[in-house]
């Protein structure tokens, strides 16, 4: 049940419960897992404060590990890119969301970045900003997002790695990719799995 990811890295398919179990076993290396689930909640408040689902990213070109690439760093409140040390000439709104995802056995909270979030929310960050500018915020934002919950069946690629935070080790679990699952194809694949299990009993 293993697939592949760019660079020849193996990706293990699992459910949410298995992901939680495997997450605790990651020591030093980065591991990737695929799971099929549905979005059940997007965090819009934290400690009573609104959580913005997107941010302004610097898109000016700079040298990154010997290659010219868009900077992508978050622009500060002062309008300065902390990496380029100047106001960016090009900017783009990008998502960073924290959401809960569930399947038949369990649920898990994951951070999702821009491309994955676009699939999860079904719109680009610029489109969401336009909706917010049109007066959709607070309870109305919750109503907008609630239409997505338990709806699309998604295949998520989840990256698990160990990090140091404030001198303390912690496990970082993030969604790096999301695809809408073709329900018919997924159903056929599940039936084939059942047939295989019955044939090997």
């Amino acid at each position: 049940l293993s697939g592949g990811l760019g660079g020849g890295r193996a990706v293990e398919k699992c459910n949410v419960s298995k992901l939680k179990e495997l997450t605790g076993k990651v020591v030093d290396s980065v591991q990737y897992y695929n799971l099929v689930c549905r979005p059940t909640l997007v965090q819009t408040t934290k400690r009573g404060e609104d959580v913005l689902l997107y941010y302004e990213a610097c898109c000016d070109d700079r040298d990154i590990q010997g290659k010219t690439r868009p900077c992508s760093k978050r622009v500060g409140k002062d309008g300065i890119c902390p990496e380029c040390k100047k106001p960016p000439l090009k900017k783009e709104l990008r998502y960073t969301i924290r959401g809960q995802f569930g399947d038949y056995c369990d649920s898990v909270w994951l951070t999702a970045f821009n491309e994955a979030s676009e699939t999860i929310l079904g719109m680009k960050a610029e489109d969401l900003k336009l909706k917010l500018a049109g007066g959709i915020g607070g309870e109305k934002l919750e109503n907008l997002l609630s239409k997505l919950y338990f709806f699309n069946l998604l295949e998520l690629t989840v990256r698990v790695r160990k990090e140091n935070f404030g001198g303390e080790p912690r496990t970082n679990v993030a969604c790096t990719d999301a695809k809408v699952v073709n329900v018919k194809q997924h159903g056929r694949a599940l039936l084939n799995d059942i047939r295989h299990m019955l044939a090997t009993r």
Side-chain angles (χ1 to χ4, degrees), residues 58-105:
C58 171
C59 292
D60 291 351
D61 290 336
R62 69 181 180 89
D63 184 270
I64 301 176
Q65 296 180 345
K67 295 183 179 180
T68 301
R69 297 174 180 169
C71 173
S72 298
K73 291 293 184 181
R74 184 191 294 259
V75 177
K77 293 182 179 179
D78 57 0
I80 304 296
C81 170
E83 195 68 35
C84 301
K85 310 298 183 186
K86 62 181 179 65
L89 298 175
K90 295 181 290 184
K91 295 185 290 186
E92 180 181 287
L93 288 184
R94 294 190 177 178
Y95 282 120
T96 175
I97 69 171
R98 184 163 175 77
Q100 187 181 55
F101 302 86
D103 62 10
Y104 64 94
C105 63

mmCIF file of all heavy atoms in Angstrom, residues 58-105:
data_model
loop_
_atom_site.group_PDB
_atom_site.id
_atom_site.type_symbol
_atom_site.label_atom_id
_atom_site.label_comp_id
_atom_site.label_asym_id
_atom_site.label_seq_id
_atom_site.Cartn_x
_atom_site.Cartn_y
_atom_site.Cartn_z
ATOM 1 N N CYS A 58 5.836 37.575 0.350
ATOM 2 C CA CYS A 58 6.744 38.248 -0.581
ATOM 3 C C CYS A 58 6.989 37.322 -1.763
ATOM 4 O O CYS A 58 7.348 36.157 -1.587
ATOM 5 C CB CYS A 58 8.059 38.577 0.123
ATOM 6 S SG CYS A 58 9.360 39.171 -0.994
ATOM 7 N N CYS A 59 6.802 37.837 -2.965
ATOM 8 C CA CYS A 59 7.006 37.024 -4.169
ATOM 9 C C CYS A 59 8.167 37.528 -5.017
ATOM 10 O O CYS A 59 8.298 37.141 -6.185
ATOM 11 C CB CYS A 59 5.727 36.987 -5.000
ATOM 12 S SG CYS A 59 4.391 36.089 -4.202
ATOM 13 N N ASP A 60 8.999 38.397 -4.452
ATOM 14 C CA ASP A 60 10.196 38.836 -5.165
ATOM 15 C C ASP A 60 11.163 37.671 -5.311
ATOM 16 O O ASP A 60 11.284 36.837 -4.411
ATOM 17 C CB ASP A 60 10.887 39.977 -4.416
ATOM 18 C CG ASP A 60 10.075 41.266 -4.457
ATOM 19 O OD1 ASP A 60 9.082 41.319 -5.206
ATOM 20 O OD2 ASP A 60 10.446 42.210 -3.731
ATOM 21 N N ASP A 61 11.864 37.622 -6.438
ATOM 22 C CA ASP A 61 12.830 36.550 -6.671
ATOM 23 C C ASP A 61 14.077 36.761 -5.817
ATOM 24 O O ASP A 61 14.549 37.887 -5.645
ATOM 25 C CB ASP A 61 13.248 36.505 -8.144
ATOM 26 C CG ASP A 61 12.129 36.019 -9.054
ATOM 27 O OD1 ASP A 61 11.241 35.309 -8.538
ATOM 28 O OD2 ASP A 61 12.134 36.349 -10.251
ATOM 29 N N ARG A 62 14.587 35.667 -5.255
ATOM 30 C CA ARG A 62 15.859 35.703 -4.539
ATOM 31 C C ARG A 62 16.539 34.351 -4.658
ATOM 32 O O ARG A 62 15.923 33.361 -5.060
ATOM 33 C CB ARG A 62 15.664 36.091 -3.067
ATOM 34 C CG ARG A 62 14.959 35.072 -2.207
ATOM 35 C CD ARG A 62 14.822 35.601 -0.781
ATOM 36 N NE ARG A 62 14.146 34.664 0.094
ATOM 37 C CZ ARG A 62 14.751 33.711 0.805
ATOM 38 N NH1 ARG A 62 16.081 33.588 0.744
ATOM 39 N NH2 ARG A 62 14.059 32.891 1.581
ATOM 40 N N ASP A 63 17.808 34.329 -4.315
ATOM 41 C CA ASP A 63 18.577 33.090 -4.405
ATOM 42 C C ASP A 63 18.264 32.199 -3.201
ATOM 43 O O ASP A 63 18.461 32.593 -2.059
ATOM 44 C CB ASP A 63 20.080 33.398 -4.439
ATOM 45 C CG ASP A 63 20.913 32.138 -4.630
ATOM 46 O OD1 ASP A 63 21.289 31.516 -3.614
ATOM 47 O OD2 ASP A 63 21.161 31.760 -5.781
ATOM 48 N N ILE A 64 17.747 31.002 -3.491
ATOM 49 C CA ILE A 64 17.440 30.031 -2.447
ATOM 50 C C ILE A 64 18.165 28.741 -2.781
ATOM 51 O O ILE A 64 17.822 28.062 -3.751
ATOM 52 C CB ILE A 64 15.913 29.780 -2.325
ATOM 53 C CG1 ILE A 64 15.181 31.092 -2.019
ATOM 54 C CG2 ILE A 64 15.632 28.750 -1.230
ATOM 55 C CD1 ILE A 64 13.675 30.952 -1.977
ATOM 56 N N GLN A 65 19.202 28.441 -2.018
ATOM 57 C CA GLN A 65 20.010 27.244 -2.225
ATOM 58 C C GLN A 65 20.513 27.157 -3.654
ATOM 59 O O GLN A 65 20.463 26.107 -4.301
ATOM 60 C CB GLN A 65 19.214 25.985 -1.856
ATOM 61 C CG GLN A 65 18.834 25.926 -0.389
ATOM 62 C CD GLN A 65 18.046 24.688 -0.030
ATOM 63 O OE1 GLN A 65 17.524 23.983 -0.889
ATOM 64 N NE2 GLN A 65 17.964 24.401 1.267
ATOM 65 N N GLY A 66 21.014 28.303 -4.160
ATOM 66 C CA GLY A 66 21.636 28.320 -5.486
ATOM 67 C C GLY A 66 20.667 28.442 -6.645
ATOM 68 O O GLY A 66 21.092 28.435 -7.808
ATOM 69 N N LYS A 67 19.354 28.583 -6.365
ATOM 70 C CA LYS A 67 18.365 28.714 -7.425
ATOM 71 C C LYS A 67 17.524 29.965 -7.195
ATOM 72 O O LYS A 67 17.240 30.334 -6.053
ATOM 73 C CB LYS A 67 17.459 27.480 -7.476
ATOM 74 C CG LYS A 67 18.185 26.195 -7.865
ATOM 75 C CD LYS A 67 17.204 25.031 -7.957
ATOM 76 C CE LYS A 67 17.922 23.750 -8.370
ATOM 77 N NZ LYS A 67 16.977 22.596 -8.476
ATOM 78 N N THR A 68 17.159 30.611 -8.302
ATOM 79 C CA THR A 68 16.316 31.803 -8.206
ATOM 80 C C THR A 68 14.860 31.382 -8.070
ATOM 81 O O THR A 68 14.298 30.748 -8.966
ATOM 82 C CB THR A 68 16.487 32.687 -9.454
ATOM 83 O OG1 THR A 68 17.861 33.073 -9.567
ATOM 84 C CG2 THR A 68 15.626 33.944 -9.350
ATOM 85 N N ARG A 69 14.281 31.748 -6.929
ATOM 86 C CA ARG A 69 12.902 31.362 -6.635
ATOM 87 C C ARG A 69 12.181 32.508 -5.941
ATOM 88 O O ARG A 69 12.824 33.380 -5.351
ATOM 89 C CB ARG A 69 12.867 30.131 -5.711
ATOM 90 C CG ARG A 69 13.481 28.880 -6.309
ATOM 91 C CD ARG A 69 13.525 27.787 -5.282
ATOM 92 N NE ARG A 69 14.105 26.551 -5.811
ATOM 93 C CZ ARG A 69 14.451 25.510 -5.065
ATOM 94 N NH1 ARG A 69 14.276 25.550 -3.752
ATOM 95 N NH2 ARG A 69 14.950 24.432 -5.627
ATOM 96 N N PRO A 70 10.826 32.508 -5.988
ATOM 97 C CA PRO A 70 10.085 33.514 -5.211
ATOM 98 C C PRO A 70 10.385 33.353 -3.720
ATOM 99 O O PRO A 70 10.481 32.236 -3.219
ATOM 100 C CB PRO A 70 8.620 33.194 -5.519
ATOM 101 C CG PRO A 70 8.649 32.465 -6.815
ATOM 102 C CD PRO A 70 9.931 31.679 -6.808
ATOM 103 N N CYS A 71 10.536 34.459 -3.031
ATOM 104 C CA CYS A 71 10.916 34.441 -1.618
ATOM 105 C C CYS A 71 9.932 33.641 -0.760
ATOM 106 O O CYS A 71 10.323 32.756 -0.001
ATOM 107 C CB CYS A 71 11.008 35.869 -1.103
ATOM 108 S SG CYS A 71 11.281 36.002 0.675
ATOM 109 N N SER A 72 8.641 33.985 -0.838
ATOM 110 C CA SER A 72 7.556 33.290 -0.134
ATOM 111 C C SER A 72 7.498 33.553 1.370
ATOM 112 O O SER A 72 6.663 32.968 2.061
ATOM 113 C CB SER A 72 7.623 31.765 -0.361
ATOM 114 O OG SER A 72 7.472 31.471 -1.734
ATOM 115 N N LYS A 73 8.353 34.416 1.912
ATOM 116 C CA LYS A 73 8.296 34.704 3.336
ATOM 117 C C LYS A 73 7.119 35.628 3.661
ATOM 118 O O LYS A 73 6.706 36.446 2.850
ATOM 119 C CB LYS A 73 9.603 35.357 3.817
ATOM 120 C CG LYS A 73 10.803 34.421 3.794
ATOM 121 C CD LYS A 73 10.651 33.310 4.813
ATOM 122 C CE LYS A 73 11.884 32.424 4.868
ATOM 123 N NZ LYS A 73 11.741 31.328 5.843
ATOM 124 N N ARG A 74 6.598 35.494 4.871
ATOM 125 C CA ARG A 74 5.476 36.325 5.322
ATOM 126 C C ARG A 74 5.937 37.782 5.475
ATOM 127 O O ARG A 74 6.948 38.055 6.142
ATOM 128 C CB ARG A 74 4.953 35.809 6.651
ATOM 129 C CG ARG A 74 3.716 36.543 7.164
ATOM 130 C CD ARG A 74 3.419 36.146 8.600
ATOM 131 N NE ARG A 74 3.031 34.756 8.690
ATOM 132 C CZ ARG A 74 1.770 34.317 8.807
ATOM 133 N NH1 ARG A 74 0.782 35.195 8.851
ATOM 134 N NH2 ARG A 74 1.509 33.042 8.887
ATOM 135 N N VAL A 75 5.206 38.711 4.873
ATOM 136 C CA VAL A 75 5.520 40.134 5.003
ATOM 137 C C VAL A 75 5.100 40.605 6.387
ATOM 138 O O VAL A 75 4.000 40.272 6.867
ATOM 139 C CB VAL A 75 4.794 40.952 3.916
ATOM 140 C CG1 VAL A 75 5.065 42.446 4.086
ATOM 141 C CG2 VAL A 75 5.213 40.488 2.530
ATOM 142 N N GLY A 76 5.967 41.357 7.064
ATOM 143 C CA GLY A 76 5.688 41.821 8.416
ATOM 144 C C GLY A 76 4.617 42.901 8.446
ATOM 145 O O GLY A 76 4.229 43.463 7.419
ATOM 146 N N LYS A 77 4.145 43.207 9.654
ATOM 147 C CA LYS A 77 3.135 44.246 9.815
ATOM 148 C C LYS A 77 3.652 45.611 9.357
ATOM 149 O O LYS A 77 2.859 46.498 9.039
ATOM 150 C CB LYS A 77 2.682 44.313 11.274
ATOM 151 C CG LYS A 77 1.913 43.075 11.729
ATOM 152 C CD LYS A 77 1.457 43.221 13.160
ATOM 153 C CE LYS A 77 0.653 41.990 13.614
ATOM 154 N NZ LYS A 77 0.207 42.105 15.022
ATOM 155 N N ASP A 78 4.981 45.766 9.339
ATOM 156 C CA ASP A 78 5.572 47.022 8.871
ATOM 157 C C ASP A 78 5.712 47.071 7.358
ATOM 158 O O ASP A 78 6.237 48.041 6.799
ATOM 159 C CB ASP A 78 6.945 47.229 9.520
ATOM 160 C CG ASP A 78 7.904 46.067 9.250
ATOM 161 O OD1 ASP A 78 7.506 45.100 8.562
ATOM 162 O OD2 ASP A 78 9.050 46.121 9.735
ATOM 163 N N GLY A 79 5.261 46.024 6.654
ATOM 164 C CA GLY A 79 5.342 45.984 5.200
ATOM 165 C C GLY A 79 6.679 45.535 4.666
ATOM 166 O O GLY A 79 6.912 45.572 3.449
ATOM 167 N N ILE A 80 7.571 45.099 5.569
ATOM 168 C CA ILE A 80 8.915 44.682 5.178
ATOM 169 C C ILE A 80 9.015 43.159 5.161
ATOM 170 O O ILE A 80 8.537 42.492 6.097
ATOM 171 C CB ILE A 80 9.985 45.247 6.152
ATOM 172 C CG1 ILE A 80 9.873 46.773 6.235
ATOM 173 C CG2 ILE A 80 11.385 44.826 5.714
ATOM 174 C CD1 ILE A 80 10.172 47.507 4.957
ATOM 175 N N CYS A 81 9.647 42.623 4.121
ATOM 176 C CA CYS A 81 9.933 41.192 4.104
ATOM 177 C C CYS A 81 11.125 40.938 5.014
ATOM 178 O O CYS A 81 12.185 41.554 4.826
ATOM 179 C CB CYS A 81 10.253 40.724 2.681
ATOM 180 S SG CYS A 81 10.897 39.026 2.609
ATOM 181 N N PRO A 82 11.009 40.061 6.009
ATOM 182 C CA PRO A 82 12.114 39.829 6.948
ATOM 183 C C PRO A 82 13.338 39.177 6.303
ATOM 184 O O PRO A 82 14.434 39.273 6.844
ATOM 185 C CB PRO A 82 11.485 38.894 7.993
ATOM 186 C CG PRO A 82 10.378 38.210 7.271
ATOM 187 C CD PRO A 82 9.838 39.220 6.305
ATOM 188 N N GLU A 83 13.151 38.556 5.145
ATOM 189 C CA GLU A 83 14.271 37.901 4.472
ATOM 190 C C GLU A 83 14.940 38.847 3.476
ATOM 191 O O GLU A 83 16.160 38.929 3.422
ATOM 192 C CB GLU A 83 13.779 36.644 3.741
ATOM 193 C CG GLU A 83 14.872 35.699 3.301
ATOM 194 C CD GLU A 83 15.569 35.019 4.473
ATOM 195 O OE1 GLU A 83 14.908 34.720 5.482
ATOM 196 O OE2 GLU A 83 16.797 34.797 4.369
ATOM 197 N N CYS A 84 14.134 39.566 2.696
ATOM 198 C CA CYS A 84 14.686 40.487 1.688
ATOM 199 C C CYS A 84 15.060 41.843 2.282
ATOM 200 O O CYS A 84 15.743 42.644 1.635
ATOM 201 C CB CYS A 84 13.680 40.680 0.554
ATOM 202 S SG CYS A 84 13.216 39.150 -0.308
ATOM 203 N N LYS A 85 14.578 42.120 3.501
ATOM 204 C CA LYS A 85 14.893 43.360 4.224
ATOM 205 C C LYS A 85 14.383 44.614 3.503
ATOM 206 O O LYS A 85 14.976 45.689 3.596
ATOM 207 C CB LYS A 85 16.408 43.500 4.463
ATOM 208 C CG LYS A 85 17.077 42.291 5.059
ATOM 209 C CD LYS A 85 16.533 41.950 6.422
ATOM 210 C CE LYS A 85 17.290 40.765 7.043
ATOM 211 N NZ LYS A 85 16.685 40.323 8.306
ATOM 212 N N LYS A 86 13.267 44.470 2.770
ATOM 213 C CA LYS A 86 12.697 45.615 2.064
ATOM 214 C C LYS A 86 11.238 45.321 1.741
ATOM 215 O O LYS A 86 10.803 44.156 1.774
ATOM 216 C CB LYS A 86 13.462 45.904 0.777
ATOM 217 C CG LYS A 86 13.437 44.774 -0.236
ATOM 218 C CD LYS A 86 14.245 45.111 -1.478
ATOM 219 C CE LYS A 86 14.236 43.975 -2.495
ATOM 220 N NZ LYS A 86 12.903 43.718 -3.061
ATOM 221 N N PRO A 87 10.464 46.366 1.408
ATOM 222 C CA PRO A 87 9.080 46.110 0.990
ATOM 223 C C PRO A 87 9.088 45.343 -0.328
ATOM 224 O O PRO A 87 9.808 45.709 -1.259
ATOM 225 C CB PRO A 87 8.496 47.516 0.803
ATOM 226 C CG PRO A 87 9.396 48.419 1.585
ATOM 227 C CD PRO A 87 10.755 47.805 1.506
ATOM 228 N N PRO A 88 8.340 44.288 -0.448
ATOM 229 C CA PRO A 88 8.344 43.502 -1.690
ATOM 230 C C PRO A 88 7.672 44.237 -2.841
ATOM 231 O O PRO A 88 6.709 44.979 -2.646
ATOM 232 C CB PRO A 88 7.559 42.239 -1.316
ATOM 233 C CG PRO A 88 6.724 42.633 -0.154
ATOM 234 C CD PRO A 88 7.483 43.684 0.583
ATOM 235 N N LEU A 89 8.212 44.039 -4.042
ATOM 236 C CA LEU A 89 7.589 44.603 -5.235
ATOM 237 C C LEU A 89 6.376 43.776 -5.644
ATOM 238 O O LEU A 89 5.418 44.293 -6.209
ATOM 239 C CB LEU A 89 8.611 44.647 -6.387
ATOM 240 C CG LEU A 89 9.851 45.512 -6.155
ATOM 241 C CD1 LEU A 89 10.814 45.366 -7.323
ATOM 242 C CD2 LEU A 89 9.448 46.977 -5.983
ATOM 243 N N LYS A 90 6.456 42.469 -5.371
ATOM 244 C CA LYS A 90 5.352 41.562 -5.705
ATOM 245 C C LYS A 90 4.900 40.840 -4.434
ATOM 246 O O LYS A 90 5.726 40.347 -3.677
ATOM 247 C CB LYS A 90 5.792 40.547 -6.762
ATOM 248 C CG LYS A 90 6.141 41.156 -8.108
ATOM 249 C CD LYS A 90 6.539 40.078 -9.116
ATOM 250 C CE LYS A 90 7.880 39.458 -8.771
ATOM 251 N NZ LYS A 90 8.316 38.474 -9.788
ATOM 252 N N LYS A 91 3.580 40.811 -4.237
ATOM 253 C CA LYS A 91 3.028 40.122 -3.072
ATOM 254 C C LYS A 91 1.878 39.217 -3.521
ATOM 255 O O LYS A 91 1.280 39.429 -4.564
ATOM 256 C CB LYS A 91 2.529 41.122 -2.028
ATOM 257 C CG LYS A 91 3.599 41.971 -1.400
ATOM 258 C CD LYS A 91 3.053 42.850 -0.293
ATOM 259 C CE LYS A 91 2.164 43.950 -0.846
ATOM 260 N NZ LYS A 91 1.735 44.903 0.232
ATOM 261 N N GLU A 92 1.597 38.225 -2.687
ATOM 262 C CA GLU A 92 0.514 37.293 -2.986
ATOM 263 C C GLU A 92 -0.097 36.814 -1.678
ATOM 264 O O GLU A 92 0.619 36.594 -0.698
ATOM 265 C CB GLU A 92 1.080 36.105 -3.766
ATOM 266 C CG GLU A 92 0.060 35.053 -4.138
ATOM 267 C CD GLU A 92 0.701 33.887 -4.886
ATOM 268 O OE1 GLU A 92 1.068 34.063 -6.063
ATOM 269 O OE2 GLU A 92 0.849 32.810 -4.276
ATOM 270 N N LEU A 93 -1.407 36.668 -1.663
ATOM 271 C CA LEU A 93 -2.061 36.122 -0.483
ATOM 272 C C LEU A 93 -1.926 34.604 -0.499
ATOM 273 O O LEU A 93 -2.181 33.961 -1.522
ATOM 274 C CB LEU A 93 -3.544 36.503 -0.451
ATOM 275 C CG LEU A 93 -3.890 37.962 -0.146
ATOM 276 C CD1 LEU A 93 -5.393 38.124 -0.056
ATOM 277 C CD2 LEU A 93 -3.236 38.428 1.147
ATOM 278 N N ARG A 94 -1.525 34.053 0.622
ATOM 279 C CA ARG A 94 -1.375 32.605 0.731
ATOM 280 C C ARG A 94 -2.021 32.112 2.019
ATOM 281 O O ARG A 94 -1.984 32.782 3.044
ATOM 282 C CB ARG A 94 0.110 32.210 0.701
ATOM 283 C CG ARG A 94 0.759 32.514 -0.640
ATOM 284 C CD ARG A 94 2.127 31.926 -0.758
ATOM 285 N NE ARG A 94 2.668 32.176 -2.079
ATOM 286 C CZ ARG A 94 3.889 31.814 -2.466
ATOM 287 N NH1 ARG A 94 4.685 31.189 -1.618
ATOM 288 N NH2 ARG A 94 4.308 32.079 -3.687
ATOM 289 N N TYR A 95 -2.577 30.929 1.930
ATOM 290 C CA TYR A 95 -3.234 30.327 3.083
ATOM 291 C C TYR A 95 -2.227 29.699 4.045
ATOM 292 O O TYR A 95 -1.180 29.191 3.649
ATOM 293 C CB TYR A 95 -4.145 29.185 2.639
ATOM 294 C CG TYR A 95 -5.469 29.577 2.041
ATOM 295 C CD1 TYR A 95 -5.783 29.195 0.734
ATOM 296 C CD2 TYR A 95 -6.426 30.271 2.775
ATOM 297 C CE1 TYR A 95 -7.020 29.507 0.180
ATOM 298 C CE2 TYR A 95 -7.658 30.583 2.218
ATOM 299 C CZ TYR A 95 -7.943 30.197 0.922
ATOM 300 O OH TYR A 95 -9.167 30.499 0.381
ATOM 301 N N THR A 96 -2.592 29.716 5.292
ATOM 302 C CA THR A 96 -2.047 28.778 6.273
ATOM 303 C C THR A 96 -3.202 28.519 7.249
ATOM 304 O O THR A 96 -3.612 29.408 7.995
ATOM 305 C CB THR A 96 -0.795 29.316 7.002
ATOM 306 O OG1 THR A 96 -0.400 28.383 8.015
ATOM 307 C CG2 THR A 96 -1.029 30.678 7.627
ATOM 308 N N ILE A 97 -3.768 27.329 7.191
ATOM 309 C CA ILE A 97 -4.943 27.028 8.008
ATOM 310 C C ILE A 97 -4.653 25.839 8.919
ATOM 311 O O ILE A 97 -3.751 25.038 8.661
ATOM 312 C CB ILE A 97 -6.184 26.726 7.147
ATOM 313 C CG1 ILE A 97 -6.023 25.391 6.400
ATOM 314 C CG2 ILE A 97 -6.478 27.870 6.181
ATOM 315 C CD1 ILE A 97 -7.298 24.933 5.702
ATOM 316 N N ARG A 98 -5.412 25.776 9.975
ATOM 317 C CA ARG A 98 -5.374 24.612 10.859
ATOM 318 C C ARG A 98 -6.772 24.017 10.865
ATOM 319 O O ARG A 98 -7.750 24.695 11.170
ATOM 320 C CB ARG A 98 -4.942 24.998 12.269
ATOM 321 C CG ARG A 98 -4.799 23.799 13.214
ATOM 322 C CD ARG A 98 -3.994 24.156 14.444
ATOM 323 N NE ARG A 98 -3.945 23.059 15.398
ATOM 324 C CZ ARG A 98 -3.181 21.986 15.284
ATOM 325 N NH1 ARG A 98 -2.404 21.840 14.231
ATOM 326 N NH2 ARG A 98 -3.189 21.035 16.201
ATOM 327 N N GLY A 99 -6.841 22.745 10.492
ATOM 328 C CA GLY A 99 -8.149 22.124 10.367
ATOM 329 C C GLY A 99 -8.192 20.739 10.980
ATOM 330 O O GLY A 99 -7.157 20.103 11.215
ATOM 331 N N GLN A 100 -9.403 20.306 11.245
ATOM 332 C CA GLN A 100 -9.613 18.949 11.756
ATOM 333 C C GLN A 100 -10.156 18.090 10.614
ATOM 334 O O GLN A 100 -11.037 18.520 9.866
ATOM 335 C CB GLN A 100 -10.606 18.963 12.911
ATOM 336 C CG GLN A 100 -10.748 17.617 13.612
ATOM 337 C CD GLN A 100 -11.771 17.686 14.747
ATOM 338 O OE1 GLN A 100 -12.913 18.079 14.526
ATOM 339 N NE2 GLN A 100 -11.352 17.318 15.937
ATOM 340 N N PHE A 101 -9.593 16.882 10.489
ATOM 341 C CA PHE A 101 -9.970 15.971 9.418
ATOM 342 C C PHE A 101 -10.308 14.617 10.032
ATOM 343 O O PHE A 101 -9.639 14.157 10.952
ATOM 344 C CB PHE A 101 -8.829 15.828 8.414
ATOM 345 C CG PHE A 101 -8.405 17.127 7.799
ATOM 346 C CD1 PHE A 101 -7.459 17.941 8.428
ATOM 347 C CD2 PHE A 101 -8.971 17.569 6.614
ATOM 348 C CE1 PHE A 101 -7.084 19.158 7.881
ATOM 349 C CE2 PHE A 101 -8.606 18.786 6.053
ATOM 350 C CZ PHE A 101 -7.668 19.581 6.693
ATOM 351 N N GLY A 102 -11.369 14.005 9.503
ATOM 352 C CA GLY A 102 -11.804 12.747 10.097
ATOM 353 C C GLY A 102 -12.131 11.689 9.067
ATOM 354 O O GLY A 102 -12.459 11.994 7.919
ATOM 355 N N ASP A 103 -12.014 10.439 9.483
ATOM 356 C CA ASP A 103 -12.464 9.308 8.674
ATOM 357 C C ASP A 103 -13.369 8.442 9.537
ATOM 358 O O ASP A 103 -13.893 8.894 10.560
ATOM 359 C CB ASP A 103 -11.285 8.533 8.071
ATOM 360 C CG ASP A 103 -10.375 7.909 9.129
ATOM 361 O OD1 ASP A 103 -10.736 7.912 10.330
ATOM 362 O OD2 ASP A 103 -9.292 7.416 8.759
ATOM 363 N N TYR A 104 -13.539 7.194 9.161
ATOM 364 C CA TYR A 104 -14.484 6.315 9.865
ATOM 365 C C TYR A 104 -14.035 5.950 11.277
ATOM 366 O O TYR A 104 -14.840 5.476 12.084
ATOM 367 C CB TYR A 104 -14.686 5.016 9.064
ATOM 368 C CG TYR A 104 -13.423 4.195 8.937
ATOM 369 C CD1 TYR A 104 -13.138 3.176 9.837
ATOM 370 C CD2 TYR A 104 -12.512 4.454 7.918
ATOM 371 C CE1 TYR A 104 -11.963 2.443 9.734
ATOM 372 C CE2 TYR A 104 -11.344 3.724 7.811
ATOM 373 C CZ TYR A 104 -11.071 2.719 8.711
ATOM 374 O OH TYR A 104 -9.912 2.007 8.601
ATOM 375 N N CYS A 105 -12.759 6.187 11.597
ATOM 376 C CA CYS A 105 -12.257 5.692 12.879
ATOM 377 C C CYS A 105 -11.796 6.779 13.851
ATOM 378 O O CYS A 105 -11.782 6.551 15.052
ATOM 379 C CB CYS A 105 -11.114 4.694 12.650
ATOM 380 S SG CYS A 105 -9.661 5.423 11.852
#
